[in-house]
Amino acid sequence: MRAILASILLLTGSAAVGENSGTIVQLGSRLFDVRMAASELRRDDDFIPVSDIDWLRPALEADPIFDGVVFHIRSTSVPASRSWNEPGSEGNVSRAYDGSKFYNFEGFDAWLLAPESARIFYLVPDRPAEFSATCGLTSSGDKVALCVLYASYPMDPHILLQARIYFPRPMERRVQEFDILAKEMRTIAACLDVTDGSRPSGPCPSR
């Protein structure tokens, strides 16, 4: 992670999990310490709105890779890898072959959801990777309004890291940043993860 995030994490210090139990959120098999009252976050039981964590927000806002991004850590009932390993498993998607600029990006295969509208599509890396994205066009169909990046969290296959990316333009550049964004989300999640009984004693590792 960038230096600003490392410094903020150092300022929060190191402590045992039990010291502030009201700051701990359990998702799946993991415990995450949000280092503020968890009850103050707008959340359901199955996710943590990382972008709403007060002390972490300045670091995210200062990092260009998180520009226009809302970041959640979410638990799922099915393995997170289904998002990139089985894009056609529901039977309502088809490969996109029409040459549209919205579907053709180097290093990705595109799948259309509800092909008759062609406004929602999946981007899946054409190489082994632990992430994918679902994107949607505006009602006029002339630009991308939103992409949601889904990434794995290695410590629990039923935890999904999710980044809602609003008006991701230029798309050609943003798509090539998906891998970096996925890695940074994993780094942040690992820094909040206190399942082993203690907070990190040092900064997040640099990317």
Side-chain angles (χ1 to χ4, degrees):
M1 291 301 300
R2 299 177 183 273
I4 187 169
L5 178 56
S7 63
I8 290 176
L9 286 167
L10 279 174
L11 287 174
T12 63
S14 176
V17 170
E19 185 175 308
N20 292 300
S21 59
T23 71
I24 305 299
V25 176
Q26 180 168 1
L27 296 181
S29 65
R30 312 303 295 178
L31 298 175
F32 297 93
D33 190 349
V34 297
R35 307 181 199 182
M36 61 176 288
S39 60
E40 294 180 5
L41 292 172
R42 293 177 296 176
R43 55 177 296 274
D44 293 326
D45 290 341
D46 64 346
F47 83 100
I48 299 171
V50 179
S51 297
D52 288 345
I53 298 176
D54 291 344
W55 61 268
L56 189 52
R57 189 182 301 115
L60 298 179
E61 292 176 347
D63 190 339
I65 203 70
F66 282 96
D67 183 38
V69 169
V70 176
F71 174 22
H72 290 171
I73 302 173
R74 184 177 297 277
S75 61
T76 66
S77 59
V78 298
S81 60
R82 185 174 180 180
S83 295
W84 45 90
N85 289 337
E86 303 178 53
S89 62
E90 300 300 324
N92 60 346
V93 299
S94 62
R95 287 290 299 273
Y97 294 111
D98 71 353
S100 166
K101 64 180 179 179
F102 297 118
Y103 313 140
N104 291 329
F105 298 102
E106 182 179 356
F108 290 85
D109 294 324
W111 297 74
L112 293 178
L113 175 64
E116 65 277 5
S117 69
R119 287 183 180 160
I120 299 176
F121 58 97
Y122 302 134
L123 292 175
V124 181
D126 61 10
R127 63 198 183 284
E130 294 289 304
F131 67 90
S132 66
T134 301
C135 299
L137 304 182
T138 58
S139 58
S140 59
D142 62 347
K143 59 185 176 182
V144 176
L146 171 72
C147 284
V148 183
L149 178 68
Y150 301 101
S152 65
Y153 183 58
M155 303 304 294
D156 187 330
H158 286 269
I159 289 179
L160 192 66
L161 308 181
Q162 175 182 309
R164 297 175 64 86
I165 308 167
Y166 291 92
F167 292 98
R169 295 175 291 176
M171 269 293 287
E172 293 79 6
R173 176 181 174 184
R174 199 44 152 159
V175 165
Q176 298 308 319
E177 294 174 340
F178 282 170
D179 184 51
I180 297 172
L181 180 55
K183 289 175 180 176
E184 292 214 5
M185 289 195 295
R186 292 186 191 108
T187 299
I188 293 171
C191 286
L192 299 178
D193 191 336
V194 294
T195 309
D196 62 357
S198 64
R199 292 174 174 161
S201 59
C204 292
S206 299
R207 67 171 169 92

